[in-house]
Every structure is written in structure tokens, then in C-alpha cells.
Amino acid sequence: MSDRADKAAPLQPPSILMGGLHLAAFWALAIVQPLLSLLGKNPDFFVARDNTGGQIVVFVLLITVVPALAATLVEALVNLTSPTARWIVHLAFGWVLLSAVALQVLKQVWDGPGWPMIVLALVLGALLTWAYARARFVRSMADILVIAPPVIVISFLFFSEASELTTSTPEVHAKDVQATSPAPVVMVVFDEFPGGSLMTPSGDLNHERFPNFSTLERDGTWYRNTATDASYTAIAVPSILTGQAADRDGLPTAADHPDSIFTLLGGEWRTTAIEPITQICPEEICGERERSGVGTGEALKALYDDLRQVSAHLLLPDSMGDSLPDISQSFEGFGGNPQESIERGRARQWVRDRLDEGDASLDGEGDVNEFLSNLDPEAGQTFDFVHIEEPHYPWTHYPSGLRYSDGTEDFRHFVDETSWHAPPYVTDRAHQGHLLEAGFADHLLGRIIRALKREGRYDETLIVVTADHGGTMTPGLHRREANPETMGEIGMVPLFIKAPGQKRPEIVNRPTCTTEIVPEVASILGIELPWEPAACDRATVRVDNGTGPVVEVPFAQAIAQRDAYVEQMAALFGGDTGWDRVLELGPYKGLIGKRATTGGRAPEGVTVRPETPAPAVSMFNPRVALNPVLRQRGLIKGLADGAPLAVTVNGTIAATGQVYTDKGKTMYSILVPQWALRPGRNEIALNRISNGDGRGTVLTPLWSSDGQ
């Protein structure tokens, strides 16, 4: 047959093998490449999960090969009955995948609404599928694209930033040091904890709210003006543990940070470390990590569970993210801007997933339980380290340890890739949640202190308590990344060091850096530090956000901003008051504690739909951890944004708040103090507050637990 006749002949379906390779290429372009590109730039994802190099390789190969292989097997089975039917099935698979490829392209050039974008992607996918079936050029392009999967995999395994995890890493060993004043060491690192949250406007600690931090102040040294040098965990914690400047290009692993407090003490101190995000302690010193012993199948399932939501965020239009679990609350990168740190979004989704599964370790309780179980007074010279993910968002606890939610969603829509943009009431409500969570952090610290005292080792132990970075809820500014306007909240963190046998308390007012912690520990223990630590610039605070330029402000400016934050919190919740004052919010908070006098009927058209179904909306059991009754939250229709509300409990006004608008929905979210609730069933009512024709304040019932 002539070349002209050959070109005129109808294009035949590819073989089952070649068709499978085509589907593998389409799948790789639609799903595998965006996902591995994101993970390749952010290997912290795997570090935080203790994934081995082998597990990463197997996972990458499986997500690349298995879906296309499964589709090919389906085609082969259909082909046994009808080759025509097999071709139709093949084109259907191709249409879905090519539509996904088109959607990826559209997301880069069009920031439009979700459904029109999906419809257009389906149309483009149909056109590409038709061209694939009829046009020789397009079919030839598909033949060429079969090299895409191996190229994508090789690029990730050997040339991305994650390649260090898939190849051999150098061994890290303990240093050979001598200590002239050895002592047991306990180190606690909290997370997302502005130092000003502990303070009163007079510059003191708030002893009413934070009795356990106050114990450390009374028995040790409080470094009142301490600054971190990084705004997120994956580089801030390694900086603290090494005394070196934050390294945005390094992984939070022992291989990238061989000079650390773990290698300093690991030769002579029996060392245990609980690191939920980092892996700075070498396995030679701390032993095999718990996840390292997990079978490959379980580890791969965990990876799949964590990444399937990421893939959905990567694939779907940004405007449809509301229908997916929250993986980017105040964090960039995870399903958002791929240039940002995946650790931030990873941490949020990781916490949320484990909370949904009932895992207490991710709200701090479990990690503290494990930490306390590791304390061994008979072991002699010990170093016990724990990084506690508190008071990190999500804020779900009261200071007593009771939890009012298994995953706070009040503030999800008020932060995007660049800024916090909540209205004033919601911002105040967020500050309330943060302060209560800070009280929970104090509660956990108290458990550690009491355990040390119970074992008779508190006085002789060197105790270090600090935090990796802070956070802010400043409208118009990024909640997690430092900038010159928020350095006082994001850059200034708590630091307490109690030396063994310390007899007198001390407050250090000079500017201090978290990079000075390891040198100070070495000095107290009488160890000559075998590496050069970073110098602390007492004139300037420098914070690395992981991307962009390092932010710098004068130390005095950061302290002034911290003090302004303290004044702001005092104006909202009192300066040196206890927790009851923190639970007073809204313009009518003066009504709290008074007997309720209600009048009138609910306005026509007003409906209330509580988030928590009966009977949990009114039942209180102080013996169990989770009590949804503590947070009265739901949808409310028929009232204007800002309308004042009151929650009455058993006939007494227990809390006040406001209606607020969230993504076009009018909502309410009001925290109820524990003192207002009795064990068992309570009579809960939501009321509108108004001034009624000279009669004073009037409560109009909108909803009650009795009538729901």
C-alpha cells in the first residue's frame, strides 16, 4: 500500500500494552507529576512521618504504576468479550485523565469559579480524546509521552530535594565530651507560642492563668525577651537543638544536623526524644523510631491516607477547596502555593487527621503521656526531650484539659495564602481560643513538673522550656510568616531555664536568642561545646520564613510589638485576671452571670441550626475529654452580621457573642465556661440581645435545647 493510502486509512486502536502506556502517561501528567513536584520541593512531609527511603521509593512506584495497570487489566478483560467495547472503555479512561490534565492547565491560567472550570476541562478533555482517537499527530505525541512516567519518577528520586531521603545518608554519632557538672536534663519545646501570651502589661507572668510557667519563673531563670530565628517548625526546631542559624535548605534530620544537643549528650546521657515533626536525634542515640518499626504496608497506607486529600486539592479548582478537609489553615503550600513549605499545611492536616481518629498525641496529651512513661529515676544521667504541638492551631482545649471540639473550624475561611482577614469579633474569638489553648499548654507543663517532683528529681534536673515560633491574628498580615509589623508576636517566644539546684530566681531582660539554649546547657553541665554556635545579635531580630528574604527588625522594635500585643490581650481579657475573664467576649459581656429575663418571641424568619446534635449539645460530663456543649456553634438565618447574642445555661447568662458571616453563611460560635454547666443535661438557649423601648436589655429566645 502506498504512503498516501496508508495515511488515509482509519487510525486503529493501539494495542492493549501501548494503550496502557498511554494511560500511564496521561495519569502521570494529571496526578503524579503535580504531586511529586510538590513533595520533591518539600521533603519535610516524609521526615515528619519517619518514612524510610525504601517506603518512599515503593510508594512513588505504586502511585505511578498501579492505577494505569489496573485500567489496563480492566481493558484486557473487556477485550475478551468485545474489542470495540474495550476501545470505548479505553477512550473513557483517556477522557477522564485528559480532562484532569486540562484542568491542571486551566488552574494555572484562570482563577475562575469551580464548576465552570470543570465543565470546560471536560470539554477540552473530550476534544483531546477525539483527537487522540482520530489524529495521527496526537497519537504520535501519546507514543512519545510514554517516557513521562519514568522521567517524572527518576527526577523525583534522584534530582529533587527529597532525593536525600531515597539515597544513603551519612551516619551520625555521639560526640566525645566530658562534663564537669553532669545532671539530668529535661527539655520541652512548645509550638506556635507567642511569648506575650504569658504576660501582663506590667511585664510579669500572668500567675493566675499560668501557674506552671510561674513555677519555672520562681525556681529558675526567665529570659523575658527571647527571639527565635525561624517562623516554622521544620527549620526553627533544628536551630534550637543545634544552636546554629536556621537552615532553610536543610532537612530536619540528624544527617543534615549532626551537631545537636542529642549528639552532645548522647554519649554519656541516656537519651529519649519525642519529635513529632523532626528527626534530629540519631537512631544510634535514641533508638529506632516508633514509625520505623511499622510494616511497609501500614506505612504506605498512612501515606496514601495523608496524600489523597492533597491530590484532591492539587486537582480541583481552588474555589472548591471548601468541600475538602482543611489542609491549609494558616499554612501555605499543602494544596496551595507549591513554593511554600508543605510542613505548614502538612502539620495542619496531620493534626486534624489524628484528632479525627481520636489520637491524643497530636493535641499534646499523647506526647506528654509517652514522655512521662519514659522518665526513669533509676536510669541515672538522663536527657528527656519532647516537642509538644501546643498551643498550635487547631485550638480545641480549655486550660483544664477538657476539649470542646475534635477539630476547630471556626477560622478556616479567614486566612488565605497571604493574610488573616477576619472581622474584629472573629479575630477576638480567635485570640480567645489561642489563649485557652496556651492554658492547656501550661496544664501539660504542670504534669511534667509534678512528675519530676513526685520522683524526687525536680531540684537536681536541668529544665529547659521554650517554643519554636509564635503566631499572629493581625488583619491583613500573614498569620505564620514574620514581617516587620508582626515580629513581636511571631518572633518573640518563651524561654525558661532552671539549673540543677538553682536557689534564686532570675529574670534576664537582655535580648536573648533561642540559638543560645544549647551553649547555655553545655555551660551549665560543664561541657566544652565542640562546634561553633551562632552568635546572638542583641540589636537585631532575624527570622527566616523559609522563603523570600530573611525579615529583620531592631530587637527593641520586636519587644515593643510584643508589649503592644500584651496590651491588646489585656484590653480584651484583662491584664492579670484568670480564665473566667478570658471566657467573657462580646459587647454585652457585662451580662454574664446574671439571671436571664427573656421576652417576646423569635423574630419571623429566624432559624438556628446547632452544629452539635442532641443530646451532646446540652450534656456535660467533666470526666470525659470531649464535651461539645462547651462550644455552642451553628448556622443562624434571619439576623444581620454583628447581631449580639447570649447563651443562657440553666437560666443564667453564661456567655455572649455575635453573629458573624463566614463564606456567605451567618454563624455563631460561643464558648461556655465550665462553671455554668452542671454534670448531665443542661438547659441551653441561644438568645438575641436587644435594647427594648426603655425596658433595658431584652433577651429574645431564638433556640433552646428543650425545644429542638
Side-chain angles (χ1 to χ4, degrees):
M1 184 180 291
S2 67
D3 290 344
R4 183 182 301 275
D6 182 61
K7 292 179 181 179
L11 193 60
Q12 297 299 311
S15 66
I16 292 177
L17 174 60
M18 184 56 71
L21 293 175
H22 290 168
L23 293 180
F26 300 158
W27 167 259
L29 293 175
I31 302 297
V32 179
Q33 192 279 329
L35 182 61
L36 294 188
S37 176
L38 187 62
L39 294 175
K41 295 173 183 176
N42 299 279
D44 314 19
F45 179 89
F46 299 108
V47 172
R49 286 160 176 74
D50 291 331
N51 293 124
T52 66
Q55 290 169 353
I56 296 171
V57 171
V58 171
F59 178 77
V60 168
L61 293 177
L62 287 176
I63 65 169
T64 304
V65 173
V66 169
L69 181 60
T72 303
L73 290 176
V74 170
E75 286 192 36
L77 292 174
V78 174
N79 191 64
L80 295 176
T81 59
S82 169
T84 300
R86 170 249 159 179
W87 179 228
I88 293 173
V89 170
H90 180 80
L91 292 178
F93 284 147
W95 175 49
V96 171
L97 293 175
L98 289 171
S99 297
V101 173
L103 187 57
Q104 290 291 316
V105 175
L106 289 174
K107 286 183 63 177
Q108 303 303 315
V109 299
W110 179 27
D111 187 23
W115 284 112
M117 190 183 300
I118 289 178
V119 171
L120 180 56
L122 290 172
V123 172
L124 293 174
L127 293 174
L128 289 171
T129 304
W130 178 87
Y132 168 78
R134 304 294 296 271
R136 294 184 185 278
F137 172 76
V138 175
R139 184 71 62 81
S140 298
M141 289 298 298
D143 292 342
I144 295 172
L145 285 175
V146 298
I147 67 170
V151 168
I152 292 169
V153 170
I154 290 171
S155 296
F156 173 80
L157 295 179
F158 297 103
F159 300 103
S160 72
E161 294 177 35
S163 62
E164 180 179 334
L165 300 176
T166 60
T167 57
S168 61
T169 56
E171 294 184 359
V172 178
H173 306 285
K175 309 292 183 183
D176 184 13
V177 299
Q178 299 295 322
T180 61
S181 303
V185 180
V186 166
M187 186 171 184
V188 178
V189 176
F190 287 104
D191 202 297
E192 201 177 274
F193 202 152
S197 297
L198 295 172
M199 297 173 62
T200 70
S202 63
D204 298 324
L205 283 182
N206 187 317
H207 301 111
E208 289 289 322
R209 295 179 192 164
F210 303 102
N212 299 298
F213 280 100
S214 297
T215 296
L216 290 182
E217 178 200 25
R218 183 175 60 250
D219 297 337
T221 302
W222 176 27
Y223 295 82
R224 183 166 14 211
N225 299 313
T226 299
T228 185
D229 68 349
S231 67
Y232 74 100
T233 302
I235 61 175
V237 169
S239 177
I240 292 171
L241 296 178
T242 63
Q244 305 282 1
D247 178 12
R248 67 171 65 180
D249 297 321
L251 288 175
T253 62
D256 275 15
H257 300 280
D259 298 330
S260 72
I261 192 170
F262 297 117
T263 54
L264 180 71
L265 303 182
E268 299 295 329
W269 274 256
R270 174 188 171 273
T271 300
T272 61
I274 299 172
E275 297 182 83
I277 305 296
T278 58
Q279 293 180 10
I280 306 299
C281 189
E283 290 191 355
E284 176 187 278
I285 295 172
C286 289
E288 282 196 4
R289 305 176 191 280
E290 182 180 350
R291 291 281 308 250
S292 297
V294 170
T296 298
E298 187 176 345
L300 294 177
K301 180 181 182 301
L303 271 174
Y304 168 76
D305 290 340
D306 287 335
L307 285 172
R308 59 192 173 90
Q309 301 296 345
V310 186
S311 299
H313 275 271
L314 287 172
L315 178 63
L316 292 176
D318 294 339
S319 61
M320 301 186 73
D322 293 348
S323 62
L324 301 170
D326 182 10
I327 63 172
S328 58
Q329 177 59 269
S330 73
F331 301 93
E332 265 59 63
F334 210 50
N337 182 350
Q339 300 302 318
E340 298 289 352
S341 168
I342 200 171
E343 184 273 331
R344 304 175 190 183
R346 183 220 56 76
R348 177 53 36 251
Q349 182 60 21
W350 189 51
V351 168
R352 177 61 190 272
D353 286 347
R354 298 323 186 271
L355 287 172
D356 287 346
E357 295 167 9
D359 186 345
S361 69
L362 277 306
D363 65 12
E365 194 83 53
D367 282 337
V368 171
N369 289 341
E370 183 180 354
F371 175 84
L372 295 177
S373 70
N374 289 333
L375 291 177
D376 185 359
E378 305 299 325
Q381 203 162 283
T382 57
F383 172 37
D384 296 285
F385 172 85
V386 60
H387 174 199
I388 303 174
E389 288 280 286
E390 293 290 346
H392 198 297
Y393 186 93
W395 308 307
T396 60
H397 290 87
Y398 279 14
S400 64
L402 291 182
R403 202 164 78 235
Y404 54 83
S405 169
D406 58 2
T408 296
E409 292 290 337
D410 288 309
F411 315 108
R412 173 177 180 175
H413 298 136
F414 297 105
V415 60
D416 55 25
E417 288 84 356
T418 60
S419 65
W420 173 266
H421 48 82
Y425 170 74
V426 176
T427 299
D428 293 347
R429 172 68 180 78
H431 281 126
Q432 180 190 54
H434 159 72
L435 282 183
L436 293 170
E437 201 75 20
F440 177 59
D442 182 82
H443 167 83
L444 296 176
L445 177 62
R447 292 187 58 197
I448 294 172
I449 291 174
R450 287 190 295 275
L452 292 174
K453 289 184 174 182
R454 192 164 53 246
E455 294 177 355
R457 53 183 293 189
Y458 175 78
D459 290 338
E460 68 180 22
T461 299
L462 167 57
I463 301 175
V464 179
V465 176
T466 189
D468 55 358
H469 56 77
T472 184
M473 279 79 76
T474 301
L477 298 177
H478 203 293
R479 201 181 76 79
R480 283 287 303 276
E481 288 190 1
N483 64 54
E485 289 76 26
T486 60
M487 194 71 87
E489 294 172 65
I490 293 176
M492 304 297 291
V493 297
L495 174 59
F496 298 82
I497 299 179
K498 186 197 78 65
Q502 184 168 347
K503 301 300 183 184
R504 294 182 178 179
E506 183 180 1
I507 296 177
V508 174
N509 288 315
R510 73 166 186 273
T512 307
C513 303
T514 54
T515 51
E516 295 183 277
I517 293 173
V518 170
E520 181 65 13
V521 168
S523 175
I524 293 172
L525 299 175
I527 299 174
E528 184 177 347
L529 196 65
W531 65 86
E532 189 68 27
C536 179
D537 184 348
R538 305 198 194 283
T540 306
V541 178
R542 295 180 175 86
V543 173
D544 190 339
N545 289 318
T547 58
V550 173
V551 180
E552 299 184 9
V553 301
F555 227 119
Q557 178 178 330
I559 293 172
Q561 290 174 355
R562 189 270 317 277
D563 292 345
Y565 165 69
V566 175
E567 292 281 357
Q568 178 189 3
M569 293 301 97
L572 282 172
F573 307 112
D576 54 3
T577 55
W579 291 115
D580 283 350
R581 181 65 181 80
V582 176
L583 285 163
E584 297 175 2
L585 194 64
Y588 288 88
K589 58 190 176 187
L591 298 176
I592 294 174
K594 297 181 179 180
R595 293 295 295 176
T597 302
T598 59
R601 304 177 61 180
E604 195 72 27
V606 174
T607 58
V608 177
R609 190 174 71 193
E611 178 183 73
T612 305
V617 73
S618 62
M619 294 294 293
F620 179 57
N621 183 355
R623 296 182 179 274
V624 301
L626 179 60
N627 279 273
V629 66
L630 293 169
R631 182 180 67 166
Q632 294 295 317
R633 181 180 189 270
L635 292 170
I636 185 166
K637 296 182 179 180
L639 289 185
D641 189 2
L645 301 172
V647 173
T648 59
V649 180
N650 303 320
T652 298
I653 300 173
T656 59
Q658 291 183 14
V659 175
Y660 65 91
T661 301
D662 183 352
K663 286 285 186 177
K665 299 177 181 178
T666 47
M667 308 279 298
Y668 66 95
S669 176
I670 302 173
L671 296 181
V672 176
Q674 291 175 236
W675 60 256
L677 297 161
R678 62 194 177 202
R681 181 180 172 278
N682 293 266
E683 297 174 7
I684 309 289
L686 183 71
N687 307 268
R688 186 184 67 173
I689 303 173
S690 60
N691 292 317
D693 301 328
R695 293 177 295 159
T697 303
V698 175
L699 300 186
T700 303
L702 304 176
W703 170 90
S704 71
S705 57
D706 285 349
Q708 69 171 359

mmCIF file of all heavy atoms in Angstrom, residues 568-584:
data_model
loop_
_atom_site.group_PDB
_atom_site.id
_atom_site.type_symbol
_atom_site.label_atom_id
_atom_site.label_comp_id
_atom_site.label_asym_id
_atom_site.label_seq_id
_atom_site.Cartn_x
_atom_site.Cartn_y
_atom_site.Cartn_z
ATOM 1 N N GLN A 568 -2.998 44.597 73.999
ATOM 2 C CA GLN A 568 -4.206 44.258 73.241
ATOM 3 C C GLN A 568 -4.968 43.116 73.919
ATOM 4 O O GLN A 568 -6.199 43.173 74.056
ATOM 5 C CB GLN A 568 -3.817 43.853 71.817
ATOM 6 C CG GLN A 568 -4.989 43.431 70.940
ATOM 7 C CD GLN A 568 -4.536 42.839 69.612
ATOM 8 O OE1 GLN A 568 -3.333 42.692 69.359
ATOM 9 N NE2 GLN A 568 -5.483 42.500 68.764
ATOM 10 N N MET A 569 -4.262 42.088 74.339
ATOM 11 C CA MET A 569 -4.914 40.964 75.013
ATOM 12 C C MET A 569 -5.494 41.392 76.364
ATOM 13 O O MET A 569 -6.567 40.936 76.771
ATOM 14 C CB MET A 569 -3.927 39.810 75.209
ATOM 15 C CG MET A 569 -3.456 39.144 73.920
ATOM 16 S SD MET A 569 -4.813 38.452 72.936
ATOM 17 C CE MET A 569 -5.084 39.795 71.774
ATOM 18 N N ALA A 570 -4.780 42.281 77.057
ATOM 19 C CA ALA A 570 -5.289 42.758 78.341
ATOM 20 C C ALA A 570 -6.571 43.563 78.165
ATOM 21 O O ALA A 570 -7.492 43.481 78.988
ATOM 22 C CB ALA A 570 -4.229 43.601 79.043
ATOM 23 N N ALA A 571 -6.643 44.351 77.092
ATOM 24 C CA ALA A 571 -7.854 45.121 76.827
ATOM 25 C C ALA A 571 -9.040 44.201 76.550
ATOM 26 O O ALA A 571 -10.186 44.512 76.910
ATOM 27 C CB ALA A 571 -7.622 46.063 75.653
ATOM 28 N N LEU A 572 -8.777 43.057 75.939
ATOM 29 C CA LEU A 572 -9.844 42.117 75.624
ATOM 30 C C LEU A 572 -10.232 41.260 76.820
ATOM 31 O O LEU A 572 -11.424 41.035 77.090
ATOM 32 C CB LEU A 572 -9.415 41.202 74.471
ATOM 33 C CG LEU A 572 -9.461 41.775 73.064
ATOM 34 C CD1 LEU A 572 -8.822 40.796 72.085
ATOM 35 C CD2 LEU A 572 -10.902 42.045 72.650
ATOM 36 N N PHE A 573 -9.219 40.757 77.548
ATOM 37 C CA PHE A 573 -9.479 39.708 78.521
ATOM 38 C C PHE A 573 -8.930 40.010 79.918
ATOM 39 O O PHE A 573 -8.875 39.115 80.754
ATOM 40 C CB PHE A 573 -8.858 38.391 78.032
ATOM 41 C CG PHE A 573 -9.283 38.004 76.643
ATOM 42 C CD1 PHE A 573 -8.377 38.007 75.590
ATOM 43 C CD2 PHE A 573 -10.592 37.645 76.378
ATOM 44 C CE1 PHE A 573 -8.758 37.640 74.312
ATOM 45 C CE2 PHE A 573 -10.995 37.279 75.103
ATOM 46 C CZ PHE A 573 -10.080 37.281 74.060
ATOM 47 N N GLY A 574 -8.532 41.236 80.159
ATOM 48 C CA GLY A 574 -7.972 41.574 81.459
ATOM 49 C C GLY A 574 -6.473 41.330 81.483
ATOM 50 O O GLY A 574 -5.950 40.469 80.771
ATOM 51 N N GLY A 575 -5.769 42.090 82.319
ATOM 52 C CA GLY A 575 -4.320 42.011 82.335
ATOM 53 C C GLY A 575 -3.773 40.890 83.186
ATOM 54 O O GLY A 575 -2.986 40.070 82.716
ATOM 55 N N ASP A 576 -4.175 40.818 84.452
ATOM 56 C CA ASP A 576 -3.657 39.793 85.347
ATOM 57 C C ASP A 576 -4.790 38.969 85.938
ATOM 58 O O ASP A 576 -4.735 38.509 87.071
ATOM 59 C CB ASP A 576 -2.813 40.423 86.456
ATOM 60 C CG ASP A 576 -3.578 41.509 87.212
ATOM 61 O OD1 ASP A 576 -4.765 41.723 86.901
ATOM 62 O OD2 ASP A 576 -2.975 42.132 88.108
ATOM 63 N N THR A 577 -5.827 38.783 85.143
ATOM 64 C CA THR A 577 -7.013 38.041 85.586
ATOM 65 C C THR A 577 -6.889 36.567 85.227
ATOM 66 O O THR A 577 -5.986 36.149 84.501
ATOM 67 C CB THR A 577 -8.273 38.621 84.931
ATOM 68 O OG1 THR A 577 -8.096 38.612 83.505
ATOM 69 C CG2 THR A 577 -8.505 40.043 85.384
ATOM 70 N N GLY A 578 -7.844 35.764 85.737
ATOM 71 C CA GLY A 578 -7.842 34.338 85.473
ATOM 72 C C GLY A 578 -8.633 33.975 84.226
ATOM 73 O O GLY A 578 -8.977 34.830 83.398
ATOM 74 N N TRP A 579 -8.979 32.677 84.116
ATOM 75 C CA TRP A 579 -9.586 32.170 82.883
ATOM 76 C C TRP A 579 -11.044 32.574 82.719
ATOM 77 O O TRP A 579 -11.534 32.665 81.584
ATOM 78 C CB TRP A 579 -9.440 30.652 82.829
ATOM 79 C CG TRP A 579 -8.019 30.242 82.639
ATOM 80 C CD1 TRP A 579 -7.232 29.553 83.512
ATOM 81 C CD2 TRP A 579 -7.202 30.543 81.509
ATOM 82 N NE1 TRP A 579 -5.977 29.401 82.998
ATOM 83 C CE2 TRP A 579 -5.927 29.996 81.772
ATOM 84 C CE3 TRP A 579 -7.403 31.219 80.307
ATOM 85 C CZ2 TRP A 579 -4.870 30.097 80.874
ATOM 86 C CZ3 TRP A 579 -6.352 31.330 79.407
ATOM 87 C CH2 TRP A 579 -5.101 30.772 79.688
ATOM 88 N N ASP A 580 -11.759 32.823 83.802
ATOM 89 C CA ASP A 580 -13.155 33.248 83.650
ATOM 90 C C ASP A 580 -13.245 34.523 82.820
ATOM 91 O O ASP A 580 -14.161 34.688 82.009
ATOM 92 C CB ASP A 580 -13.799 33.463 85.017
ATOM 93 C CG ASP A 580 -14.175 32.151 85.691
ATOM 94 O OD1 ASP A 580 -14.115 31.109 85.015
ATOM 95 O OD2 ASP A 580 -14.506 32.177 86.888
ATOM 96 N N ARG A 581 -12.291 35.405 83.018
ATOM 97 C CA ARG A 581 -12.293 36.669 82.260
ATOM 98 C C ARG A 581 -12.034 36.431 80.778
ATOM 99 O O ARG A 581 -12.583 37.134 79.932
ATOM 100 C CB ARG A 581 -11.237 37.608 82.854
ATOM 101 C CG ARG A 581 -11.149 38.951 82.181
ATOM 102 C CD ARG A 581 -12.432 39.777 82.355
ATOM 103 N NE ARG A 581 -12.296 41.048 81.670
ATOM 104 C CZ ARG A 581 -12.466 41.215 80.359
ATOM 105 N NH1 ARG A 581 -12.804 40.181 79.603
ATOM 106 N NH2 ARG A 581 -12.336 42.407 79.816
ATOM 107 N N VAL A 582 -11.228 35.422 80.449
ATOM 108 C CA VAL A 582 -10.958 35.112 79.039
ATOM 109 C C VAL A 582 -12.215 34.606 78.352
ATOM 110 O O VAL A 582 -12.395 34.788 77.138
ATOM 111 C CB VAL A 582 -9.813 34.081 78.925
ATOM 112 C CG1 VAL A 582 -9.574 33.673 77.469
ATOM 113 C CG2 VAL A 582 -8.526 34.652 79.516
ATOM 114 N N LEU A 583 -13.115 33.987 79.105
ATOM 115 C CA LEU A 583 -14.350 33.451 78.529
ATOM 116 C C LEU A 583 -15.451 34.499 78.436
ATOM 117 O O LEU A 583 -16.590 34.173 78.105
ATOM 118 C CB LEU A 583 -14.823 32.249 79.341
ATOM 119 C CG LEU A 583 -13.986 30.985 79.095
ATOM 120 C CD1 LEU A 583 -14.195 29.970 80.188
ATOM 121 C CD2 LEU A 583 -14.318 30.394 77.733
ATOM 122 N N GLU A 584 -15.116 35.745 78.728
ATOM 123 C CA GLU A 584 -16.069 36.840 78.557
ATOM 124 C C GLU A 584 -15.734 37.572 77.268
ATOM 125 O O GLU A 584 -14.657 38.135 77.122
ATOM 126 C CB GLU A 584 -15.991 37.796 79.755
ATOM 127 C CG GLU A 584 -16.384 37.148 81.072
ATOM 128 C CD GLU A 584 -16.185 38.081 82.254
ATOM 129 O OE1 GLU A 584 -15.777 39.249 82.030
ATOM 130 O OE2 GLU A 584 -16.411 37.642 83.397
#
